[in-house]
mmCIF file of all heavy atoms in Angstrom:
data_model
loop_
_atom_site.group_PDB
_atom_site.id
_atom_site.type_symbol
_atom_site.label_atom_id
_atom_site.label_comp_id
_atom_site.label_asym_id
_atom_site.label_seq_id
_atom_site.Cartn_x
_atom_site.Cartn_y
_atom_site.Cartn_z
ATOM 1 N N ALA A 1118 -22.480 -64.902 -56.476
ATOM 2 C CA ALA A 1118 -23.287 -64.282 -57.528
ATOM 3 C C ALA A 1118 -23.472 -62.800 -57.253
ATOM 4 O O ALA A 1118 -23.404 -61.963 -58.170
ATOM 5 C CB ALA A 1118 -24.648 -64.980 -57.630
ATOM 6 N N ALA A 1119 -23.707 -62.444 -55.984
ATOM 7 C CA ALA A 1119 -23.881 -61.032 -55.616
ATOM 8 C C ALA A 1119 -22.594 -60.241 -55.873
ATOM 9 O O ALA A 1119 -22.634 -59.136 -56.414
ATOM 10 C CB ALA A 1119 -24.283 -60.921 -54.153
ATOM 11 N N ALA A 1120 -21.466 -60.807 -55.481
ATOM 12 C CA ALA A 1120 -20.180 -60.141 -55.698
ATOM 13 C C ALA A 1120 -19.917 -59.958 -57.196
ATOM 14 O O ALA A 1120 -19.449 -58.895 -57.634
ATOM 15 C CB ALA A 1120 -19.053 -60.945 -55.056
ATOM 16 N N LEU A 1121 -20.220 -60.991 -57.993
ATOM 17 C CA LEU A 1121 -20.047 -60.916 -59.433
ATOM 18 C C LEU A 1121 -20.950 -59.849 -60.042
ATOM 19 O O LEU A 1121 -20.529 -59.106 -60.935
ATOM 20 C CB LEU A 1121 -20.356 -62.275 -60.070
ATOM 21 C CG LEU A 1121 -20.287 -62.349 -61.605
ATOM 22 C CD1 LEU A 1121 -18.875 -62.029 -62.086
ATOM 23 C CD2 LEU A 1121 -20.723 -63.715 -62.099
ATOM 24 N N TYR A 1122 -22.155 -59.762 -59.521
ATOM 25 C CA TYR A 1122 -23.105 -58.757 -60.019
ATOM 26 C C TYR A 1122 -22.569 -57.342 -59.794
ATOM 27 O O TYR A 1122 -22.634 -56.489 -60.691
ATOM 28 C CB TYR A 1122 -24.458 -58.928 -59.330
ATOM 29 C CG TYR A 1122 -25.459 -57.857 -59.693
ATOM 30 C CD1 TYR A 1122 -26.152 -57.919 -60.898
ATOM 31 C CD2 TYR A 1122 -25.701 -56.781 -58.847
ATOM 32 C CE1 TYR A 1122 -27.059 -56.931 -61.249
ATOM 33 C CE2 TYR A 1122 -26.600 -55.787 -59.187
ATOM 34 C CZ TYR A 1122 -27.279 -55.875 -60.387
ATOM 35 O OH TYR A 1122 -28.172 -54.879 -60.732
ATOM 36 N N TYR A 1123 -22.006 -57.097 -58.608
ATOM 37 C CA TYR A 1123 -21.460 -55.769 -58.323
ATOM 38 C C TYR A 1123 -20.221 -55.477 -59.148
ATOM 39 O O TYR A 1123 -20.000 -54.342 -59.578
ATOM 40 C CB TYR A 1123 -21.165 -55.643 -56.822
ATOM 41 C CG TYR A 1123 -22.379 -55.184 -56.038
ATOM 42 C CD1 TYR A 1123 -23.223 -56.118 -55.437
ATOM 43 C CD2 TYR A 1123 -22.701 -53.838 -55.935
ATOM 44 C CE1 TYR A 1123 -24.346 -55.705 -54.742
ATOM 45 C CE2 TYR A 1123 -23.820 -53.418 -55.240
ATOM 46 C CZ TYR A 1123 -24.644 -54.354 -54.650
ATOM 47 O OH TYR A 1123 -25.756 -53.939 -53.979
ATOM 48 N N LEU A 1124 -19.404 -56.489 -59.387
ATOM 49 C CA LEU A 1124 -18.250 -56.309 -60.253
ATOM 50 C C LEU A 1124 -18.708 -55.958 -61.673
ATOM 51 O O LEU A 1124 -18.090 -55.117 -62.343
ATOM 52 C CB LEU A 1124 -17.399 -57.577 -60.284
ATOM 53 C CG LEU A 1124 -16.499 -57.823 -59.073
ATOM 54 C CD1 LEU A 1124 -15.862 -59.210 -59.155
ATOM 55 C CD2 LEU A 1124 -15.418 -56.748 -58.959
ATOM 56 N N ASP A 1125 -19.798 -56.583 -62.102
ATOM 57 C CA ASP A 1125 -20.305 -56.309 -63.451
ATOM 58 C C ASP A 1125 -20.856 -54.887 -63.575
ATOM 59 O O ASP A 1125 -20.806 -54.291 -64.646
ATOM 60 C CB ASP A 1125 -21.404 -57.322 -63.804
ATOM 61 C CG ASP A 1125 -21.957 -57.104 -65.198
ATOM 62 O OD1 ASP A 1125 -21.193 -57.267 -66.172
ATOM 63 O OD2 ASP A 1125 -23.144 -56.732 -65.316
ATOM 64 N N LEU A 1126 -21.365 -54.340 -62.470
ATOM 65 C CA LEU A 1126 -21.837 -52.948 -62.504
ATOM 66 C C LEU A 1126 -20.692 -51.996 -62.833
ATOM 67 O O LEU A 1126 -20.909 -50.928 -63.421
ATOM 68 C CB LEU A 1126 -22.448 -52.567 -61.152
ATOM 69 C CG LEU A 1126 -23.819 -53.154 -60.810
ATOM 70 C CD1 LEU A 1126 -24.240 -52.712 -59.414
ATOM 71 C CD2 LEU A 1126 -24.865 -52.746 -61.823
ATOM 72 N N TYR A 1127 -19.490 -52.406 -62.477
ATOM 73 C CA TYR A 1127 -18.307 -51.564 -62.724
ATOM 74 C C TYR A 1127 -17.624 -51.885 -64.049
ATOM 75 O O TYR A 1127 -17.287 -50.998 -64.827
ATOM 76 C CB TYR A 1127 -17.319 -51.728 -61.576
ATOM 77 C CG TYR A 1127 -16.156 -50.773 -61.639
ATOM 78 C CD1 TYR A 1127 -16.304 -49.432 -61.273
ATOM 79 C CD2 TYR A 1127 -14.901 -51.202 -62.050
ATOM 80 C CE1 TYR A 1127 -15.233 -48.551 -61.332
ATOM 81 C CE2 TYR A 1127 -13.828 -50.322 -62.109
ATOM 82 C CZ TYR A 1127 -14.004 -49.001 -61.748
ATOM 83 O OH TYR A 1127 -12.935 -48.128 -61.806
ATOM 84 N N PHE A 1128 -17.472 -53.199 -64.325
ATOM 85 C CA PHE A 1128 -16.718 -53.601 -65.509
ATOM 86 C C PHE A 1128 -17.602 -53.904 -66.728
ATOM 87 O O PHE A 1128 -17.118 -53.966 -67.849
ATOM 88 C CB PHE A 1128 -15.881 -54.850 -65.197
ATOM 89 C CG PHE A 1128 -14.745 -54.577 -64.250
ATOM 90 C CD1 PHE A 1128 -14.804 -55.008 -62.936
ATOM 91 C CD2 PHE A 1128 -13.620 -53.893 -64.684
ATOM 92 C CE1 PHE A 1128 -13.759 -54.765 -62.054
ATOM 93 C CE2 PHE A 1128 -12.563 -53.638 -63.812
ATOM 94 C CZ PHE A 1128 -12.639 -54.070 -62.485
ATOM 95 N N HIS A 1129 -18.902 -54.147 -66.495
ATOM 96 C CA HIS A 1129 -19.843 -54.451 -67.575
ATOM 97 C C HIS A 1129 -19.402 -55.673 -68.391
ATOM 98 O O HIS A 1129 -19.307 -55.645 -69.608
ATOM 99 C CB HIS A 1129 -20.010 -53.233 -68.504
ATOM 100 C CG HIS A 1129 -20.436 -51.994 -67.784
ATOM 101 N ND1 HIS A 1129 -21.692 -51.828 -67.243
ATOM 102 C CD2 HIS A 1129 -19.745 -50.846 -67.507
ATOM 103 C CE1 HIS A 1129 -21.772 -50.647 -66.659
ATOM 104 N NE2 HIS A 1129 -20.605 -50.037 -66.807
ATOM 105 N N TRP A 1130 -19.151 -56.755 -67.678
ATOM 106 C CA TRP A 1130 -18.741 -58.000 -68.331
ATOM 107 C C TRP A 1130 -19.922 -58.741 -68.959
ATOM 108 O O TRP A 1130 -19.821 -59.314 -70.032
ATOM 109 C CB TRP A 1130 -18.081 -58.937 -67.313
ATOM 110 C CG TRP A 1130 -16.747 -58.486 -66.830
ATOM 111 C CD1 TRP A 1130 -15.827 -57.744 -67.515
ATOM 112 C CD2 TRP A 1130 -16.162 -58.729 -65.546
ATOM 113 N NE1 TRP A 1130 -14.715 -57.533 -66.749
ATOM 114 C CE2 TRP A 1130 -14.886 -58.122 -65.534
ATOM 115 C CE3 TRP A 1130 -16.576 -59.419 -64.406
ATOM 116 C CZ2 TRP A 1130 -14.033 -58.183 -64.434
ATOM 117 C CZ3 TRP A 1130 -15.735 -59.482 -63.316
ATOM 118 C CH2 TRP A 1130 -14.483 -58.870 -63.327
ATOM 119 N N ILE A 1131 -21.045 -58.760 -68.244
ATOM 120 C CA ILE A 1131 -22.186 -59.577 -68.663
ATOM 121 C C ILE A 1131 -23.018 -58.806 -69.689
ATOM 122 O O ILE A 1131 -23.497 -57.698 -69.389
ATOM 123 C CB ILE A 1131 -23.057 -59.955 -67.452
ATOM 124 C CG1 ILE A 1131 -22.210 -60.696 -66.406
ATOM 125 C CG2 ILE A 1131 -24.241 -60.824 -67.883
ATOM 126 C CD1 ILE A 1131 -22.912 -60.962 -65.100
ATOM 127 N N PRO A 1132 -23.202 -59.350 -70.891
ATOM 128 C CA PRO A 1132 -23.885 -58.613 -71.966
ATOM 129 C C PRO A 1132 -25.376 -58.414 -71.734
ATOM 130 O O PRO A 1132 -25.970 -57.468 -72.233
ATOM 131 C CB PRO A 1132 -23.635 -59.482 -73.202
ATOM 132 C CG PRO A 1132 -23.431 -60.854 -72.652
ATOM 133 C CD PRO A 1132 -22.736 -60.674 -71.345
ATOM 134 N N ASP A 1133 -25.984 -59.308 -70.966
ATOM 135 C CA ASP A 1133 -27.442 -59.257 -70.766
ATOM 136 C C ASP A 1133 -27.756 -59.754 -69.360
ATOM 137 O O ASP A 1133 -27.214 -60.775 -68.908
ATOM 138 C CB ASP A 1133 -28.145 -60.134 -71.802
ATOM 139 C CG ASP A 1133 -29.655 -59.926 -71.802
ATOM 140 O OD1 ASP A 1133 -30.214 -59.574 -70.749
ATOM 141 O OD2 ASP A 1133 -30.274 -60.122 -72.861
ATOM 142 N N THR A 1134 -28.629 -59.032 -68.657
ATOM 143 C CA THR A 1134 -28.989 -59.434 -67.289
ATOM 144 C C THR A 1134 -29.599 -60.832 -67.248
ATOM 145 O O THR A 1134 -29.401 -61.573 -66.274
ATOM 146 C CB THR A 1134 -29.991 -58.422 -66.685
ATOM 147 O OG1 THR A 1134 -29.438 -57.113 -66.740
ATOM 148 C CG2 THR A 1134 -30.297 -58.764 -65.230
ATOM 149 N N MET A 1135 -30.325 -61.199 -68.294
ATOM 150 C CA MET A 1135 -30.948 -62.516 -68.330
ATOM 151 C C MET A 1135 -29.896 -63.626 -68.334
ATOM 152 O O MET A 1135 -30.145 -64.722 -67.835
ATOM 153 C CB MET A 1135 -31.842 -62.650 -69.562
ATOM 154 C CG MET A 1135 -33.210 -62.013 -69.401
ATOM 155 S SD MET A 1135 -34.126 -62.618 -67.943
ATOM 156 C CE MET A 1135 -34.272 -64.353 -68.342
ATOM 157 N N VAL A 1136 -28.719 -63.348 -68.893
ATOM 158 C CA VAL A 1136 -27.624 -64.318 -68.849
ATOM 159 C C VAL A 1136 -27.252 -64.588 -67.399
ATOM 160 O O VAL A 1136 -27.073 -65.747 -66.991
ATOM 161 C CB VAL A 1136 -26.395 -63.796 -69.628
ATOM 162 C CG1 VAL A 1136 -25.208 -64.740 -69.450
ATOM 163 C CG2 VAL A 1136 -26.729 -63.628 -71.098
ATOM 164 N N PHE A 1137 -27.146 -63.536 -66.610
ATOM 165 C CA PHE A 1137 -26.820 -63.667 -65.187
ATOM 166 C C PHE A 1137 -27.893 -64.487 -64.464
ATOM 167 O O PHE A 1137 -27.578 -65.395 -63.687
ATOM 168 C CB PHE A 1137 -26.709 -62.271 -64.564
ATOM 169 C CG PHE A 1137 -26.535 -62.276 -63.070
ATOM 170 C CD1 PHE A 1137 -25.311 -62.576 -62.508
ATOM 171 C CD2 PHE A 1137 -27.593 -61.947 -62.238
ATOM 172 C CE1 PHE A 1137 -25.140 -62.585 -61.127
ATOM 173 C CE2 PHE A 1137 -27.439 -61.937 -60.859
ATOM 174 C CZ PHE A 1137 -26.206 -62.264 -60.306
ATOM 175 N N VAL A 1138 -29.158 -64.194 -64.736
ATOM 176 C CA VAL A 1138 -30.272 -64.883 -64.089
ATOM 177 C C VAL A 1138 -30.257 -66.368 -64.429
ATOM 178 O O VAL A 1138 -30.356 -67.232 -63.537
ATOM 179 C CB VAL A 1138 -31.619 -64.269 -64.511
ATOM 180 C CG1 VAL A 1138 -32.781 -65.067 -63.934
ATOM 181 C CG2 VAL A 1138 -31.712 -62.811 -64.072
ATOM 182 N N VAL A 1139 -30.130 -66.685 -65.700
ATOM 183 C CA VAL A 1139 -30.178 -68.080 -66.156
ATOM 184 C C VAL A 1139 -28.999 -68.882 -65.609
ATOM 185 O O VAL A 1139 -29.172 -69.997 -65.111
ATOM 186 C CB VAL A 1139 -30.216 -68.143 -67.699
ATOM 187 C CG1 VAL A 1139 -30.062 -69.589 -68.170
ATOM 188 C CG2 VAL A 1139 -31.527 -67.561 -68.225
ATOM 189 N N VAL A 1140 -27.790 -68.312 -65.688
ATOM 190 C CA VAL A 1140 -26.603 -69.022 -65.203
ATOM 191 C C VAL A 1140 -26.699 -69.276 -63.703
ATOM 192 O O VAL A 1140 -26.387 -70.369 -63.220
ATOM 193 C CB VAL A 1140 -25.320 -68.229 -65.545
ATOM 194 C CG1 VAL A 1140 -24.110 -68.865 -64.850
ATOM 195 C CG2 VAL A 1140 -25.100 -68.203 -67.048
ATOM 196 N N LEU A 1141 -27.133 -68.275 -62.950
ATOM 197 C CA LEU A 1141 -27.285 -68.436 -61.501
ATOM 198 C C LEU A 1141 -28.278 -69.552 -61.187
ATOM 199 O O LEU A 1141 -28.020 -70.402 -60.321
ATOM 200 C CB LEU A 1141 -27.756 -67.125 -60.864
ATOM 201 C CG LEU A 1141 -28.117 -67.185 -59.369
ATOM 202 C CD1 LEU A 1141 -26.928 -67.665 -58.545
ATOM 203 C CD2 LEU A 1141 -28.593 -65.823 -58.877
ATOM 204 N N LEU A 1142 -29.398 -69.575 -61.881
ATOM 205 C CA LEU A 1142 -30.408 -70.596 -61.638
ATOM 206 C C LEU A 1142 -29.876 -71.991 -61.968
ATOM 207 O O LEU A 1142 -30.099 -72.948 -61.220
ATOM 208 C CB LEU A 1142 -31.664 -70.298 -62.470
ATOM 209 C CG LEU A 1142 -32.872 -71.204 -62.233
ATOM 210 C CD1 LEU A 1142 -33.286 -71.190 -60.765
ATOM 211 C CD2 LEU A 1142 -34.036 -70.772 -63.111
ATOM 212 N N ILE A 1143 -29.163 -72.101 -63.088
ATOM 213 C CA ILE A 1143 -28.603 -73.402 -63.487
ATOM 214 C C ILE A 1143 -27.577 -73.892 -62.461
ATOM 215 O O ILE A 1143 -27.582 -75.069 -62.067
ATOM 216 C CB ILE A 1143 -27.959 -73.301 -64.884
ATOM 217 C CG1 ILE A 1143 -29.036 -73.115 -65.953
ATOM 218 C CG2 ILE A 1143 -27.123 -74.547 -65.184
ATOM 219 C CD1 ILE A 1143 -28.496 -72.851 -67.346
ATOM 220 N N VAL A 1144 -26.703 -72.992 -62.002
ATOM 221 C CA VAL A 1144 -25.686 -73.372 -61.011
ATOM 222 C C VAL A 1144 -26.348 -73.812 -59.712
ATOM 223 O O VAL A 1144 -25.947 -74.814 -59.098
ATOM 224 C CB VAL A 1144 -24.717 -72.198 -60.763
ATOM 225 C CG1 VAL A 1144 -23.795 -72.505 -59.582
ATOM 226 C CG2 VAL A 1144 -23.892 -71.918 -62.006
ATOM 227 N N LEU A 1145 -27.348 -73.067 -59.270
ATOM 228 C CA LEU A 1145 -28.039 -73.416 -58.028
ATOM 229 C C LEU A 1145 -28.752 -74.760 -58.128
ATOM 230 O O LEU A 1145 -28.671 -75.596 -57.216
ATOM 231 C CB LEU A 1145 -29.058 -72.323 -57.666
ATOM 232 C CG LEU A 1145 -28.507 -71.094 -56.946
ATOM 233 C CD1 LEU A 1145 -29.588 -70.051 -56.776
ATOM 234 C CD2 LEU A 1145 -27.935 -71.492 -55.585
ATOM 235 N N LEU A 1146 -29.437 -74.971 -59.236
ATOM 236 C CA LEU A 1146 -30.136 -76.246 -59.413
ATOM 237 C C LEU A 1146 -29.142 -77.393 -59.565
ATOM 238 O O LEU A 1146 -29.405 -78.523 -59.129
ATOM 239 C CB LEU A 1146 -31.063 -76.168 -60.624
ATOM 240 C CG LEU A 1146 -32.285 -75.260 -60.448
ATOM 241 C CD1 LEU A 1146 -33.119 -75.216 -61.726
ATOM 242 C CD2 LEU A 1146 -33.148 -75.738 -59.282
ATOM 243 N N GLY A 1147 -27.975 -77.100 -60.179
ATOM 244 C CA GLY A 1147 -26.933 -78.106 -60.277
ATOM 245 C C GLY A 1147 -26.429 -78.516 -58.904
ATOM 246 O O GLY A 1147 -26.255 -79.706 -58.615
ATOM 247 N N ALA A 1148 -26.200 -77.506 -58.045
ATOM 248 C CA ALA A 1148 -25.761 -77.781 -56.675
ATOM 249 C C ALA A 1148 -26.838 -78.546 -55.905
ATOM 250 O O ALA A 1148 -26.530 -79.458 -55.125
ATOM 251 C CB ALA A 1148 -25.443 -76.463 -55.961
ATOM 252 N N TYR A 1149 -28.076 -78.201 -56.151
ATOM 253 C CA TYR A 1149 -29.221 -78.873 -55.502
ATOM 254 C C TYR A 1149 -29.266 -80.351 -55.876
ATOM 255 O O TYR A 1149 -29.435 -81.225 -55.014
ATOM 256 C CB TYR A 1149 -30.507 -78.154 -55.920
ATOM 257 C CG TYR A 1149 -31.788 -78.820 -55.483
ATOM 258 C CD1 TYR A 1149 -32.029 -79.099 -54.142
ATOM 259 C CD2 TYR A 1149 -32.782 -79.150 -56.408
ATOM 260 C CE1 TYR A 1149 -33.219 -79.686 -53.740
ATOM 261 C CE2 TYR A 1149 -33.966 -79.724 -56.021
ATOM 262 C CZ TYR A 1149 -34.192 -80.006 -54.683
ATOM 263 O OH TYR A 1149 -35.367 -80.590 -54.298
ATOM 264 N N VAL A 1150 -29.075 -80.641 -57.152
ATOM 265 C CA VAL A 1150 -29.127 -82.023 -57.644
ATOM 266 C C VAL A 1150 -27.932 -82.833 -57.146
ATOM 267 O O VAL A 1150 -28.073 -83.962 -56.662
ATOM 268 C CB VAL A 1150 -29.192 -82.049 -59.189
ATOM 269 C CG1 VAL A 1150 -29.011 -83.466 -59.706
ATOM 270 C CG2 VAL A 1150 -30.512 -81.471 -59.675
ATOM 271 N N LEU A 1151 -26.732 -82.251 -57.258
ATOM 272 C CA LEU A 1151 -25.517 -82.977 -56.875
ATOM 273 C C LEU A 1151 -25.458 -83.257 -55.373
ATOM 274 O O LEU A 1151 -24.902 -84.263 -54.947
ATOM 275 C CB LEU A 1151 -24.282 -82.173 -57.303
ATOM 276 C CG LEU A 1151 -24.052 -82.056 -58.822
ATOM 277 C CD1 LEU A 1151 -22.887 -81.125 -59.111
ATOM 278 C CD2 LEU A 1151 -23.811 -83.434 -59.441
ATOM 279 N N ALA A 1152 -26.022 -82.354 -54.583
ATOM 280 C CA ALA A 1152 -25.972 -82.509 -53.122
ATOM 281 C C ALA A 1152 -27.221 -83.192 -52.561
ATOM 282 O O ALA A 1152 -27.317 -83.376 -51.354
ATOM 283 C CB ALA A 1152 -25.796 -81.146 -52.470
ATOM 284 N N TYR A 1153 -28.158 -83.524 -53.412
ATOM 285 C CA TYR A 1153 -29.440 -84.105 -52.956
ATOM 286 C C TYR A 1153 -29.202 -85.320 -52.052
ATOM 287 O O TYR A 1153 -28.361 -86.156 -52.345
ATOM 288 C CB TYR A 1153 -30.265 -84.522 -54.170
ATOM 289 C CG TYR A 1153 -31.682 -84.937 -53.824
ATOM 290 C CD1 TYR A 1153 -32.680 -83.973 -53.705
ATOM 291 C CD2 TYR A 1153 -31.997 -86.269 -53.598
ATOM 292 C CE1 TYR A 1153 -33.978 -84.345 -53.360
ATOM 293 C CE2 TYR A 1153 -33.287 -86.633 -53.251
ATOM 294 C CZ TYR A 1153 -34.270 -85.676 -53.133
ATOM 295 O OH TYR A 1153 -35.552 -86.043 -52.788
ATOM 296 N N PRO A 1154 -29.897 -85.416 -50.909
ATOM 297 C CA PRO A 1154 -31.001 -84.564 -50.417
ATOM 298 C C PRO A 1154 -30.549 -83.576 -49.346
ATOM 299 O O PRO A 1154 -31.300 -83.319 -48.406
ATOM 300 C CB PRO A 1154 -31.951 -85.605 -49.826
ATOM 301 C CG PRO A 1154 -30.998 -86.624 -49.222
ATOM 302 C CD PRO A 1154 -29.782 -86.642 -50.099
ATOM 303 N N LYS A 1155 -29.356 -83.048 -49.446
ATOM 304 C CA LYS A 1155 -28.837 -82.139 -48.433
ATOM 305 C C LYS A 1155 -29.691 -80.887 -48.298
ATOM 306 O O LYS A 1155 -29.929 -80.398 -47.189
ATOM 307 C CB LYS A 1155 -27.406 -81.753 -48.776
ATOM 308 C CG LYS A 1155 -26.746 -80.839 -47.739
ATOM 309 C CD LYS A 1155 -25.306 -80.530 -48.096
ATOM 310 C CE LYS A 1155 -24.660 -79.633 -47.047
ATOM 311 N NZ LYS A 1155 -23.235 -79.335 -47.363
ATOM 312 N N TYR A 1156 -30.139 -80.322 -49.434
ATOM 313 C CA TYR A 1156 -30.920 -79.083 -49.407
ATOM 314 C C TYR A 1156 -32.378 -79.345 -49.746
ATOM 315 O O TYR A 1156 -32.683 -80.204 -50.581
ATOM 316 C CB TYR A 1156 -30.354 -78.073 -50.420
ATOM 317 C CG TYR A 1156 -28.919 -77.705 -50.183
ATOM 318 C CD1 TYR A 1156 -27.922 -78.102 -51.077
ATOM 319 C CD2 TYR A 1156 -28.548 -76.975 -49.058
ATOM 320 C CE1 TYR A 1156 -26.598 -77.771 -50.860
ATOM 321 C CE2 TYR A 1156 -27.221 -76.639 -48.832
ATOM 322 C CZ TYR A 1156 -26.255 -77.039 -49.736
ATOM 323 O OH TYR A 1156 -24.940 -76.725 -49.508
ATOM 324 N N HIS A 1157 -33.229 -78.586 -49.103
ATOM 325 C CA HIS A 1157 -34.648 -78.610 -49.455
ATOM 326 C C HIS A 1157 -34.860 -77.619 -50.600
ATOM 327 O O HIS A 1157 -34.130 -76.626 -50.708
ATOM 328 C CB HIS A 1157 -35.505 -78.221 -48.256
ATOM 329 C CG HIS A 1157 -36.969 -78.461 -48.454
ATOM 330 N ND1 HIS A 1157 -37.791 -77.553 -49.086
ATOM 331 C CD2 HIS A 1157 -37.762 -79.517 -48.115
ATOM 332 C CE1 HIS A 1157 -39.021 -78.026 -49.116
ATOM 333 N NE2 HIS A 1157 -39.032 -79.221 -48.540
ATOM 334 N N ALA A 1158 -35.840 -77.880 -51.438
ATOM 335 C CA ALA A 1158 -36.099 -76.996 -52.579
ATOM 336 C C ALA A 1158 -36.343 -75.558 -52.126
ATOM 337 O O ALA A 1158 -35.932 -74.604 -52.807
ATOM 338 C CB ALA A 1158 -37.298 -77.509 -53.377
ATOM 339 N N SER A 1159 -36.992 -75.391 -50.984
ATOM 340 C CA SER A 1159 -37.275 -74.038 -50.483
ATOM 341 C C SER A 1159 -35.994 -73.299 -50.123
ATOM 342 O O SER A 1159 -35.929 -72.069 -50.244
ATOM 343 C CB SER A 1159 -38.200 -74.105 -49.259
ATOM 344 O OG SER A 1159 -37.575 -74.814 -48.202
ATOM 345 N N GLN A 1160 -34.952 -74.022 -49.697
ATOM 346 C CA GLN A 1160 -33.687 -73.377 -49.353
ATOM 347 C C GLN A 1160 -32.957 -72.890 -50.607
ATOM 348 O O GLN A 1160 -32.378 -71.809 -50.609
ATOM 349 C CB GLN A 1160 -32.802 -74.357 -48.579
ATOM 350 C CG GLN A 1160 -33.352 -74.701 -47.192
ATOM 351 C CD GLN A 1160 -32.490 -75.722 -46.483
ATOM 352 O OE1 GLN A 1160 -32.106 -76.735 -47.051
ATOM 353 N NE2 GLN A 1160 -32.156 -75.439 -45.233
ATOM 354 N N VAL A 1161 -33.001 -73.687 -51.661
ATOM 355 C CA VAL A 1161 -32.391 -73.275 -52.924
ATOM 356 C C VAL A 1161 -33.136 -72.060 -53.483
ATOM 357 O O VAL A 1161 -32.521 -71.121 -53.989
ATOM 358 C CB VAL A 1161 -32.413 -74.439 -53.947
ATOM 359 C CG1 VAL A 1161 -31.851 -73.991 -55.293
ATOM 360 C CG2 VAL A 1161 -31.614 -75.615 -53.412
ATOM 361 N N THR A 1162 -34.443 -72.084 -53.379
ATOM 362 C CA THR A 1162 -35.250 -70.938 -53.799
ATOM 363 C C THR A 1162 -34.889 -69.699 -52.990
ATOM 364 O O THR A 1162 -34.818 -68.595 -53.529
ATOM 365 C CB THR A 1162 -36.749 -71.233 -53.636
ATOM 366 O OG1 THR A 1162 -37.088 -72.419 -54.375
ATOM 367 C CG2 THR A 1162 -37.601 -70.084 -54.135
ATOM 368 N N ALA A 1163 -34.622 -69.897 -51.696
ATOM 369 C CA ALA A 1163 -34.266 -68.774 -50.818
ATOM 370 C C ALA A 1163 -32.939 -68.159 -51.236
ATOM 371 O O ALA A 1163 -32.768 -66.936 -51.176
ATOM 372 C CB ALA A 1163 -34.188 -69.259 -49.371
#
């Protein structure tokens, strides 16, 4: 996500910062659910 964010600073792919925030959160929560109980909620938040 960090690498994508820096690429977007150069190429301006993402139309709205909130899109980046929402997609990142959804992907992280998806990984949290699929891998449960591998990660603690605090680790995903981190």
